[in-house]
Amino acid sequence: MDGVPSAVMSDLIEKRLSGLLAAGATAVVVVAGLAAPAYAGGGAASPGSAGLGDRLYPLLGNGGYDVQDYNLKIRYPQKDPKQQITGDVTITAVATQNLSRFDLDFGGDGVGKVSVNGKPARFSRDGDELIVTPAHHLAKGKRFWVTVSGFTATPIPANADSPAGFVTTPDGTIMAGQPDQSHQLFPSNDHPRDMATYTISMTRPSGWAAVANGVHVGDRTSGTTVTSVYRETKPMASELIQLAVGAFTVHERPAVGGVPIRDVVPTRLAADLLPKAEVEREQLAWMVNKVGKYPFERYGSLVIDADLGFALETQTLSLYDTGLFSYPKFVLDPIMNHELAHMWFGDSVAPYEWSNVWQSEGHATWYELTYALEHGQFEDYTGYTDLESYFKNVYSKGDQYRKDYGPVAHPLRSDSIWDVFNPNVYDGGALVLYALRTKIGVKKFESLERAWVSTYRGKSASTDDFIALASKVSGQNLRGFLGAWLYGTTTPPMPGHPDWTVTPPTAASAKASAKASALARTLR
């Protein structure tokens, strides 16, 4: 179907799915419209690597194939948020080498059976690696299908000190998979470098709601159960998946610039929570004005009654907990704009590796702060009168941050999630953008922001990609300048502010107060 516009293709897919649902059939997306990437070469078949080689998460993701699409089906047997679920997933992929076997990431309870191209395949498990050996070798450049049937997984309670993916709440279950937890629910290539489209089907008892990323294709009732199907037609990293199933209310709001808005909250708390989310409509218009077209089919907020410890930009449906929604408006509104900004920075343009997370968090922090400034909330929110005074304070901490956490684009370790999502990727990343804007000027900076999200829409991009694009847009060679800011072990001089000074780092680590400082805003 070469030459068919993406919007038309999406509409055709949705109509086809709707027809299948109306006929009572199981919805299966045939991804014939996805062109197989061309890979040259051959060689003897060999195993795909157990991991994509991410410096911070070496075993996350897998080598030897490129996922194109997931067809995920989850079954919730009863109205019990703590129950074990069962599921099936069919993964459409293209082999990037001649494969004798390959791995999937999976940390759930168990697996029923596995098939490749419709034929039974041998499998084994080693930690969070599901090792699949197909009946026949898979040829490089060829499309194949792997189906994992009858897998099981059990949600765990939300824990602000140790965030984890498949979460139970008093009202139902949700997903909080960033950075490495989505495979606790379903088998996947769980790394943002391998983005794909998704069809998500959720079967649960009548009376429970079910919401996922993307567009609601339709529902099918069978006896006392209901199956809802959602389709995410835009490429999505596995860490951004959302499945909210339980005693939730789905509230539709008027569209903003053609983008439908839906919010999902516990039914028993709807009267309190829904009015607080209304600001997202104005924020969406504000962000579009700043960086350009919204990259997805819809937007909204999911609020859960749990101590999650952070907000999270699950694609098309940002996740919050009731603790955040208890904050005053001058705190909650900037946090919500941070998560909305992630739809462009982090979701549509995903990090190529987790060392690039500053691109997501630094940009989201930049638009969080800018929103607060332009809406009269900045001083109440930060304690500073303007961006200059705020970033002067951040600048003073730069060497301490680099000592404790590593350079902005090179976190030292991933022993804890807070080692990766540290103050130097949030405030430090935003400080890099402040320095860059000062260096190249406001107009070129704004052009760069728009160029970044349009050039890499639906793709994973690296820090080197950002540096190259910044150099092109600005007309300056910024490799040395941005290299020092992003990879240097000491904080470079701030352009235009020769009087700004950096406080020498102390021997005592600042890590003990990290979560209470930059991460006090509980943003991911």
Side-chain angles (χ1 to χ4, degrees), residues 223-310:
T224 60
T225 67
V226 179
T227 299
S228 295
V229 180
Y230 284 77
R231 177 67 179 163
E232 178 51 276
T233 62
K234 308 299 183 184
M236 180 169 73
S238 53
E239 47 114 359
L240 301 172
I241 196 170
Q242 185 55 264
L243 296 85
V245 178
F248 295 113
T249 289
V250 181
H251 180 70
E252 302 285 346
R253 299 188 190 274
V256 177
V259 179
I261 307 294
R262 48 92 191 269
D263 294 323
V264 183
V265 299
T267 300
R268 59 191 174 83
L269 302 176
D272 175 55
L273 297 176
L274 286 174
K276 298 177 181 180
E278 168 67 23
V279 69
E280 66 202 356
R281 298 187 66 254
E282 178 270 326
Q283 290 179 336
L284 179 55
W286 186 87
M287 279 298 304
V288 167
N289 183 61
K290 291 293 183 184
V291 296
K293 181 182 177 181
Y294 180 70
F296 301 121
E297 308 94 333
R298 63 187 311 142
Y299 187 62
S301 300
L302 165 62
V303 188
I304 60 169
D305 187 14
D307 183 17
L308 194 59
F310 54 85

Side-chain angles (χ1 to χ4, degrees), residues 313-336:
E313 63 275 14
T314 48
Q315 191 158 309
T316 73
L317 190 65
S318 291
L319 172 65
Y320 308 91
D321 64 21
T322 47
L324 282 171
F325 262 60
S326 69
Y327 287 167
K329 186 176 176 63
F330 69 80
V331 174
L332 179 58
D333 287 3
I335 289 174
M336 291 184 66

Side-chain angles (χ1 to χ4, degrees), residues 172-245:
T173 60
I174 59 94
M175 284 299 297
Q178 191 181 80
D180 62 342
Q181 294 295 308
S182 286
H183 66 270
Q184 301 301 325
L185 173 63
F186 70 104
S188 61
N189 201 25
D190 195 8
H191 193 283
R193 191 179 305 174
D194 197 358
M195 302 167 74
T197 54
Y198 281 75
T199 298
I200 301 171
S201 304
M202 297 158 288
T203 300
R204 76 288 182 186
S206 298
W208 264 19
V211 184
N213 314 86
V215 174
H216 183 203
V217 176
D219 298 326
R220 183 180 71 251
T221 300
S222 177
T224 60
T225 67
V226 179
T227 299
S228 295
V229 180
Y230 284 77
R231 177 67 179 163
E232 178 51 276
T233 62
K234 308 299 183 184
M236 180 169 73
S238 53
E239 47 114 359
L240 301 172
I241 196 170
Q242 185 55 264
L243 296 85
V245 178

Side-chain angles (χ1 to χ4, degrees), residues 149-161:
S149 304
F151 66 81
T152 55
T154 304
I156 65 173
N159 182 345
D161 293 324

